[in-house]
Amino acid sequence: MLTKTITEEINAAIRAAGDIILNADRTTETVESKEGHANFVTSYDKAVQEMLKKRLLEILPGAVFVGEEEDVHAQIKDGYSFIVDPIDGTTNFIRDMHCSTTSIGLLFNGEPVYAAIYNPYLGELYTAKKGEGAFLNGQPIHVSDKPLSESIILFGTSPYYPDLAKKGFELLINLFSRALDVRRFGSAAYDLCMVAAGRAELFFEMQLSPWDYAAGSLIVSEAGGAVTQIDGTPLSFGHPCSVLARGRTDEKI
Ligand code: 2AM
Ligand code: CA
């Protein structure tokens, strides 16, 4: 049973992650390249993950913990699983662009039941509990119902998958020609929060990993939106897939 104490403790842990990000000493930061193009990890991604793993497993002992920066990723299974991105928007963090988030998704039997995404630069904590709505700093949020012609489109470029990146730009130019404008933040978790809060109408990326969208997908759906793969099939939380999030589903994209 997901008690208020448990969700409050998760919120406290994600705020502590934000403190680490805000207090990062850039002179001692180390940056390593991971597999593929434009894929980095810093000592702070690892430090935040280590702190969260310890705290979250104290909150729910026995839960599976899946963290982006682990060498081997655990498989989600029945019961509780945390899916965590310690810093979503690592390239922004390295460049000091002040647009990165921490993302914690809590799954029960493979489906998200609680989500928290924190943008420490703005002090914005987005949360959602299955069946109880989505919130920004405790205030209810809702997706926008603006038509495509009045929409802000968010997207990720998938720089690490060149073939997919090209397809993504083709879809982007198609949408751009029918929408108000486009934006690219560099943190998929934050993009999903923007859609949930009705600040943007649509987000897509050709391939993301479960830690990028496990929490954000629940926040969008609890805010009244829909999140699927780009072809409309359900998201997968066990392996990477494309992501399409939007407030309205009555217009063909
Ligand atoms: P990250 O900053 O945690 O790595 C940018 O397009 C979005 O894609 C960010 O949310 C980024 O998360 C994520 N991302 C970066 N590298 C990725 C990879 N190799 N596979 C999937 N998503 C990735
Ligand atoms: Ca990350």
Side-chain angles (χ1 to χ4, degrees), residues 34 40 45 68-69 84-90 101 211-212:
K34 297 198 291 184
F40 305 106
D45 297 72
E68 177 178 10
E69 308 307 344
V84 171
D85 193 341
I87 302 182
D88 186 53
T90 297
T101 55
W211 39 82
D212 299 316

Side-chain angles (χ1 to χ4, degrees), residues 4 60 67 69 90 95 101-102 108 124 142-143 153 159 162 175 178 182 186 197 211 213 233 245 249:
K4 196 157 184 240
L60 279 176
E69 308 307 344
T90 297
R95 302 294 185 98
T101 55
T102 299
F108 186 72
E124 289 186 344
H142 302 283
V143 295
I153 309 288
L175 290 168
R178 296 186 281 148
V182 301
W211 39 82
Y213 56 77
T233 56
T249 52

Side-chain angles (χ1 to χ4, degrees), residues 39 68 85 87-91 156-161 184 186-188 205 207-209 212:
N39 198 2
E68 177 178 10
D85 193 341
I87 302 182
D88 186 53
T90 297
T91 304
T157 52
S158 310
Y160 18 81
Y161 308 111
R184 163 32 167 184
S187 161
E205 186 148 7
Q207 182 149 317
L208 287 168
S209 294
D212 299 316

Side-chain angles (χ1 to χ4, degrees), residues 96-244:
D96 208 16
M97 282 188 176
H98 289 203
C99 187
S100 306
T101 55
T102 299
S103 177
I104 300 176
L106 177 62
L107 275 55
F108 186 72
N109 293 348
E111 290 300 321
V113 289
Y114 188 71
I117 293 176
Y118 187 50
N119 178 334
Y121 302 101
L122 298 177
E124 289 186 344
L125 176 62
Y126 294 84
T127 56
K129 193 172 169 188
K130 179 93 187 150
E132 296 188 10
F135 300 86
L136 164 54
N137 291 339
Q139 298 302 311
I141 51 173
H142 302 283
V143 295
S144 155
D145 66 355
K146 284 188 170 35
L148 186 58
S149 58
E150 295 172 29
S151 290
I152 297 282
I153 309 288
L154 309 181
F155 70 110
T157 52
S158 310
Y160 18 81
Y161 308 111
D163 291 348
L164 288 180
K166 187 164 180 283
K167 284 195 185 131
F169 276 104
E170 284 165 6
L171 176 55
L172 180 70
I173 200 144
N174 175 325
L175 290 168
F176 172 70
S177 66
R178 296 186 281 148
L180 190 64
D181 205 349
V182 301
R183 300 283 188 272
R184 163 32 167 184
F185 285 118
S187 161
Y190 192 58
D191 290 318
L192 290 166
C193 292
M194 293 294 94
V195 173
R199 296 175 183 169
E201 280 68 32
L202 187 149
F203 163 72
F204 76 90
E205 186 148 7
M206 301 308 285
Q207 182 149 317
L208 287 168
S209 294
W211 39 82
D212 299 316
Y213 56 77
S217 61
L218 181 66
I219 294 172
V220 172
S221 60
E222 286 297 320
V227 191
T228 59
Q229 298 190 41
I230 289 176
D231 65 5
T233 56
L235 294 179
S236 151
F237 296 104
H239 51 79
C241 65
S242 67
V243 175
L244 168 65

